[in-house]
Amino acid sequence: MAGSSRVGVLALQGDVREHVRVLTDLGADVVRVRRPDDLVGLGGLVLPGGESSVIDKLSRTFGLREPLREAIAAGLPVYGTCAGMILLADRIVDGIEGQQTFGGIDVTVRRNAFGGQAESFETDLDVPAITGAPVRAVFIRAPIVEEVGPAAETLAALPDGRVVAVAQGRLMATSFHPEMSGEDRFHRRFLDIVAA
Ligand code: GLN
């Protein structure tokens, strides 16, 4: 399945290399997306972790914002981690002045939602949509999904109920970074959606 999929990783800023490695190891043909032309012929796209406000700005500078929004609206499978989750959210709280998202998932996301010492942490997470052992979830200045609208579905929440993974149609987003903990099941799920 994964062998013939050509997928992109948005490569404006962030942990691009980690995503490229996971996808390549799963047999995908991976393209780094920096210009609108790079989107042509892609079966799916990953939005990496990093700094969402920077990725937002660069996407406008490089003329990628509108083509990306069109591709998402047209049904392109997209998986976003952390900053990538923020970029996929329809609504954002605590963005920097003027910060925009690409949108696509009917959720409200709060940036940098874990203050103080809890800013970065790891935990084992049960994710019903992911079969097998619990997911080792790495959170780094992570966002939280504050509101899940009717079009979106919750994939995972912390024990206290805070939502950290969501999906809507061919879009999926996690607050944490599977690409940093050797966890490849979210990328497998993404490639399954691409192949479907
Ligand atoms: N805090 C970052 C942001 O607002 C996200 C951090 C991450 O991707 N690890 O975009």
Side-chain angles (χ1 to χ4, degrees):
M1 43 122 228
S4 61
S5 339
R6 188 147 79 91
V7 296
V9 177
L10 186 63
L12 300 175
Q13 188 267 340
D15 68 339
V16 175
R17 194 189 319 158
E18 286 76 4
H19 282 286
V20 169
R21 183 174 309 135
V22 178
L23 292 165
T24 304
D25 285 351
L26 289 174
D29 175 13
V30 186
V31 176
R32 285 173 171 77
V33 173
R34 295 195 182 88
R35 300 172 309 135
D37 280 359
D38 298 330
L39 287 170
V40 175
L42 287 188
L45 181 69
V46 167
L47 307 180
E51 176 46 55
S52 56
S53 60
V54 173
I55 298 173
D56 163 40
K57 258 187 210 148
L58 291 174
S59 76
R60 286 183 261 159
T61 305
F62 286 78
L64 266 167
R65 176 181 163 78
E66 287 314 317
L68 257 171
R69 284 170 57 82
E70 279 164 28
I72 292 169
L76 183 74
V78 183
Y79 173 35
T81 66
C82 203
M85 168 188 261
I86 295 168
L87 289 160
L88 276 178
D90 280 349
R91 297 167 297 278
I92 175 177
V93 177
D94 272 3
I96 69 163
E97 173 90 29
Q99 182 170 352
Q100 298 175 19
T101 69
F102 304 137
I105 303 185
D106 181 15
V107 291
T108 304
V109 160
R110 178 179 293 277
R111 280 178 73 229
N112 303 335
F114 300 94
Q117 293 188 330
E119 224 171 51
S120 298
F121 63 100
E122 291 186 34
T123 190
D124 288 325
L125 204 61
D126 274 318
V127 185
I130 300 289
T131 49
V135 168
R136 189 71 187 158
V138 178
F139 293 83
I140 303 169
R141 294 178 59 77
I144 276 289
V145 180
E146 289 209 332
E147 184 227 346
V148 181
E153 75 178 290
T154 298
L155 291 185
L158 292 170
D160 64 11
R162 286 182 292 179
V163 174
V164 292
V166 290
Q168 180 173 330
R170 296 182 186 141
L171 308 176
M172 175 170 67
T174 58
S175 301
F176 48 89
H177 294 275
E179 74 281 9
M180 289 186 179
S181 60
E183 168 63 68
D184 68 5
R185 288 172 290 174
F186 288 89
H187 293 78
R188 281 180 193 274
R189 191 176 192 274
F190 163 70
L191 290 175
D192 284 345
I193 295 169
V194 170

